[in-house]
Amino acid sequence: MSDDEIGYTEYRNDKLPERSNLPACPVETCVSLIGSKWKLLIMRDLLLNGSMRFKALQRSIGGVSQKVLTTNLRNMEDAGLIVRRVYAEVPPRVEYSLTELGQSLRPIIDSMWHGGSRTRL
């Protein structure tokens, strides 16, 4: 089935960074992939909600500008963490979702969730 038949075009970067370009330490690799406040919040929302449109993500995260969100989404797409789907509609509809690599980082987000909930006063 072609993209035209299913009504959207999927943009994703299936080329993962070459191992020689990654830090030697796995922790440093994870930090380089998701080491910003905005990327973590984007991942949290996509893990909780599945696919989301740009404005829904922006509202859900709160406090993030359109420019910062766009930049972080592009960086995450380049890193292979998210996939961007553009639907053949007028006006165009764009949705973001996590790739298999992005989903594999769920335990990190879950640990942060549990750790953060324990520190609340």
Side-chain angles (χ1 to χ4, degrees):
M1 186 177 289
S2 73
D3 285 345
D4 293 334
E5 292 173 320
I6 53 179
Y8 66 84
T9 303
E10 191 169 280
Y11 297 92
R12 67 187 302 157
N13 181 0
D14 286 328
K15 285 188 73 177
L16 296 175
E18 291 187 32
R19 193 159 280 294
S20 62
N21 295 334
L22 294 174
C25 173
V27 172
E28 192 176 345
T29 299
C30 282
V31 169
S32 71
L33 290 173
I34 60 169
S36 81
K37 166 180 147 178
W38 301 120
K39 288 179 185 177
L40 287 167
L41 295 177
I42 291 166
M43 287 191 65
R44 175 205 62 193
D45 288 354
L46 292 176
L47 283 167
L48 290 173
N49 302 307
S51 294
M52 292 182 75
R53 295 177 76 170
F54 184 89
K55 283 294 185 186
L57 260 173
Q58 190 175 23
R59 279 191 302 273
S60 179
I61 293 169
V64 64
S65 70
Q66 181 173 337
K67 180 182 179 193
V68 169
L69 181 56
T70 299
T71 300
N72 279 279
L73 287 168
R74 285 183 184 155
N75 290 341
M76 293 173 76
E77 188 178 359
D78 290 344
L81 295 173
I82 64 170
V83 61
R84 178 178 176 259
R85 283 196 179 108
V86 179
Y87 290 84
E89 300 174 357
V90 177
R93 177 171 51 121
V94 178
E95 289 184 350
Y96 297 91
S97 57
L98 291 172
T99 62
E100 190 175 324
L101 175 61
Q103 289 283 345
S104 75
L105 299 171
R106 176 184 286 274
I108 295 169
I109 305 297
D110 289 345
S111 293
M112 294 176 80
W113 182 277
H114 294 297
S117 64
R118 290 182 179 182
T119 59
R120 286 191 170 163
L121 300 176

